[in-house]
Every structure is written in structure tokens, then in C-alpha cells.
Amino acid sequence: MIRVLLGLTLIAATSLRAQEDVTQFGTGPEVMLIRSTTDIAIISPVLERFTAQNPNLSITYEQWGSNALFQHSKTACKTGEAPADVVFSSAIQQMVWLVNSACAYRYSSPETQALPPARRWRDELWGITTEPAVIVYNKDGLTNEEVPRDRFALLDAMRTRPDLLRGRVATYDIAASGLGYLFAYGDSLEATTFGSLIEGFARIDAVATCCSAHIIDEVAQGRFLIAYNVLGSYVANANLPGVGVILPEDYTLVLSRAYMIPRQAQNKQAAIVLLDFLLSPEAQELLAASGLVTRLDESETGLTPSARRFIPLSPALLVALDQNRRAGLFKLWNDAFNIETAR
């Protein structure tokens, strides 16, 4: 029987805590509030450049967990209390829900209209980044021949080398991570491998835990040999030479973080200026330097166009939030994984 290290009630309580961190950018008299799931250290270069170009602004940037941010944004939409000027999240299924519930402000510009259709919806939600879900591995713990280049190779490794991998394969705890849930949902649509992956993870006592930074750090330290479906931007930003990265060759999910201006935002104009800036060539280069924009050129990544699975901003993501669908996926996950908190 798979051992569950943390009850679901405690998981929910942890995931719904308030903001994880907060910082200020700029010192101008005009205030702006951003609530985001993006780590402050990663987004800082972009916001520092933005406030340098807009010295009238003073930005409060709150870093949140995705589930807590979603709950807070729903409440702010309903009550009008303490709305943000910008909500920026990697859990894009939650952002689609907010837009569908009339929580967003509509805006259009040449910059937003230049986005491909998969990265904008109803002129109320915009995809800013390009971030693949990757397999990461410990370079000292696995030889080049042992590194799984796709899910079929990962399945084979879990079947043929269970002693090597037992307790040393990790991924997100989808009850605690809206992003982790999104990736698991995306995988569940790929019928050829999803069921076998779940069985394989259960067979080797794989670990479901919290947070990209924690998982990557544990791979670097050698506690985990492989981490599955980790957001590639966090790996790039960590800059750990002992950690290798694979874009799975069978298919790679590609996420674009969603930017929304709440309907009740107090400083919509600043949010509009920031949106157009983030979509500018200058900001996109800064985001690429921070790992939030990945160039998917086949000659550099080896990933063919047919293997790219862009997750579109669309009503189709509302299916991911269906209660029965969520309950079924949570049950599969809880039966297959050891679940633990970050240590």
C-alpha cells in the first residue's frame, strides 16, 4: 500500500495560505499591485526595467501559491475587496475560470493582437511566456545512456531498474499545485502513456511534493534522480550544472503564463502599460534571459513541431476544473504517489 505522508486536509490548508513573499519595485507616487505565482527572483529584472521606464510607479509585487491566488482572486471578484491590478499565474485553467466568471477587464492593442490565438482569449487573458514541462535528472546519478529521452524510456526505466529509482523519482503534488494539476490533466489526455505512467510511478514509490524550486534542488543534491513535468523556466533560472534537462521527444507540454487585469482593478492604466511592455521585444528578451521564454527551434532543442503541445487559453480548460474530473485525477495521484511537504 502506498504511504501517504500528509492528509488532504492539511494539504489544502497549506496550499491556501496567503502570499509567500512580497517586494517593492520603484518609488513613484502612483501605486500598483501585482499578485503572481512567478518567483520574485525570476521576474525582478523585467519589473526593474519597467519601473525604470515608468518612474511614476511604485509596484507592490506579491508572490502567491497558485491555489491560494485563485481563491483570493475569486473572493475579490465577488466582493470587490482588495483587488489586484494584475493577476499573473501559471495555473492557466484557474485564470480561464476567472475570465469566464466575468472577473476580467477587456483590452486590445497591436501588441495583444499580435499574439497567436492560443495565447489570448476574449481580449481578457493573455499568454506572456513560453515554458515547456521538462524531465530533469541528476547528471552524476545517471549515465547518458540511462537518461530517459521520452515517456516510453521513462516507463522502461521504471520497469527494468526499480531498485535504482525507488523513491527517487519526483513530480508535483497536484492537490497543492495548480500548475502540477494542469500538467497532470494535460498528460491524462494522452491515452497512450498516461495509465502506464501512473502504474510505473506507483511501482517505484515515486514522490509527489511541493514547488519547482524544491524539486530541482533535491535533484541537484541527488535525493531524486529524476523529476517529471517540472517547469523548465525554473530549471533554467536555477543554473545548476549538475542538473540535466530533457524536453520529452514523444510530446512536450508548453505553458504560457496568463496575465489578467481584474475588472475591479484600481489602476487599470498601469496594468495596460505593463501588459504591452511584457509583450514587447525588449521585455521578451529579458524574460528569455530569466528562463521564462524558451526558444523552441528544432535545431537547438531537437523537439519537432509535431511533439509540441501548446496548452491554449480557451474554454476547453474549464473541463480540467470539473469536480468529477478533479476527484478522479486526485484519486489516481494519491494511490500512486508518496505525498510529502517540502523539507
Side-chain angles (χ1 to χ4, degrees), residues 272-285:
I272 287 169
V273 174
L274 176 58
L275 171 61
D276 284 339
F277 173 74
L278 289 173
L279 296 175
S280 70
E282 178 185 14
Q284 288 289 299
E285 286 300 321

Side-chain angles (χ1 to χ4, degrees), residues 68-149:
L69 178 58
F70 180 44
Q71 295 299 329
H72 190 282
S73 299
K74 285 199 296 184
T75 300
C77 177
K78 181 179 179 179
T79 66
E81 296 179 6
D85 297 307
V86 171
V87 177
F88 186 41
S89 177
S90 55
I92 60 175
Q93 76 279 16
Q94 297 171 345
M95 300 292 279
V96 167
W97 189 98
L98 290 169
V99 169
N100 195 59
S101 299
C103 296
Y105 175 75
R106 186 181 295 267
Y107 171 70
S108 179
S109 70
E111 288 80 6
T112 64
Q113 290 302 306
L115 287 169
R119 289 176 56 187
R120 56 184 167 90
W121 185 44
R122 295 194 345 188
D123 291 328
E124 296 178 50
L125 194 63
W126 304 275
I128 303 299
T129 65
T130 308
E131 303 172 66
V134 302
I135 296 172
V136 301
Y137 64 95
N138 182 283
K139 291 182 177 180
D140 293 330
L142 296 176
T143 66
N144 190 57
E145 293 73 22
E146 291 174 324
V147 174
R149 307 287 169 179

Side-chain angles (χ1 to χ4, degrees), residues 300-324:
E300 296 180 9
T301 64
L303 192 68
T304 64
S306 63
R308 303 168 193 171
R309 301 285 194 276
F310 289 91
I311 307 174
L313 301 178
S314 79
L317 286 177
L318 294 174
V319 178
L321 295 176
D322 176 77
Q323 289 187 358
N324 291 332

Side-chain angles (χ1 to χ4, degrees), residues 28-336:
E30 185 179 341
V31 297
M32 179 183 184
L33 174 61
I34 300 172
R35 294 194 177 109
S36 172
T37 62
T38 307
D39 286 7
I40 290 171
I42 294 178
I43 201 69
S44 286
V46 180
L47 292 181
E48 286 168 357
R49 182 71 60 88
F50 178 69
T51 50
Q53 294 179 5
N54 296 272
N56 59 305
L57 287 176
S58 175
I59 297 176
T60 298
Y61 184 94
E62 295 178 356
Q63 179 182 321
W64 289 66
S66 56
N67 289 345
L69 178 58
F70 180 44
Q71 295 299 329
H72 190 282
S73 299
K74 285 199 296 184
T75 300
C77 177
K78 181 179 179 179
T79 66
E81 296 179 6
D85 297 307
V86 171
V87 177
F88 186 41
S89 177
S90 55
I92 60 175
Q93 76 279 16
Q94 297 171 345
M95 300 292 279
V96 167
W97 189 98
L98 290 169
V99 169
N100 195 59
S101 299
C103 296
Y105 175 75
R106 186 181 295 267
Y107 171 70
S108 179
S109 70
E111 288 80 6
T112 64
Q113 290 302 306
L115 287 169
R119 289 176 56 187
R120 56 184 167 90
W121 185 44
R122 295 194 345 188
D123 291 328
E124 296 178 50
L125 194 63
W126 304 275
I128 303 299
T129 65
T130 308
E131 303 172 66
V134 302
I135 296 172
V136 301
Y137 64 95
N138 182 283
K139 291 182 177 180
D140 293 330
L142 296 176
T143 66
N144 190 57
E145 293 73 22
E146 291 174 324
V147 174
R149 307 287 169 179
D150 57 28
R151 288 168 182 79
F152 300 104
L154 177 58
L155 286 168
D156 186 63
M158 290 190 292
R159 185 181 67 253
T160 60
R161 286 170 284 161
D163 292 338
L164 173 67
L165 298 180
R166 192 171 309 283
R168 303 186 74 187
V169 174
T171 191
Y172 296 109
D173 170 12
I174 67 171
S177 169
L179 172 64
Y181 177 83
L182 176 65
F183 286 160
Y185 172 74
D187 277 343
S188 73
L189 303 180
E190 301 286 340
T192 54
T193 54
F194 184 66
S196 298
L197 278 173
I198 292 295
E199 292 174 3
F201 290 141
R203 189 182 307 117
I204 62 158
D205 297 332
V207 175
T209 188
C210 169
C211 313
S212 299
H214 167 69
I215 294 173
I216 296 163
D217 185 59
E218 295 280 69
V219 171
Q221 295 180 29
R223 184 200 168 194
F224 300 135
L225 292 179
I226 295 172
Y228 175 74
N229 262 4
V230 175
L231 199 57
S233 54
Y234 286 94
V235 188
N237 194 262
N239 192 28
L240 296 168
V243 175
V245 178
I246 296 294
L247 277 67
E249 295 172 2
D250 51 332
Y251 70 88
T252 293
L253 298 171
V254 183
L255 168 83
S256 192
R257 288 175 197 248
Y259 184 108
M260 185 189 82
I261 303 170
R263 178 171 47 86
Q264 294 160 320
Q266 299 299 300
N267 196 343
K268 294 183 179 69
Q269 184 56 41
I272 287 169
V273 174
L274 176 58
L275 171 61
D276 284 339
F277 173 74
L278 289 173
L279 296 175
S280 70
E282 178 185 14
Q284 288 289 299
E285 286 300 321
L286 289 170
L287 290 168
S290 295
L292 291 171
V293 170
T294 300
R295 313 301 185 191
L296 295 174
D297 186 273
E298 184 177 353
S299 63
E300 296 180 9
T301 64
L303 192 68
T304 64
S306 63
R308 303 168 193 171
R309 301 285 194 276
F310 289 91
I311 307 174
L313 301 178
S314 79
L317 286 177
L318 294 174
V319 178
L321 295 176
D322 176 77
Q323 289 187 358
N324 291 332
R325 181 67 65 96
R326 284 173 59 84
L329 199 49
F330 284 161
K331 185 178 188 309
L332 282 173
W333 224 249
N334 293 329
D335 287 346

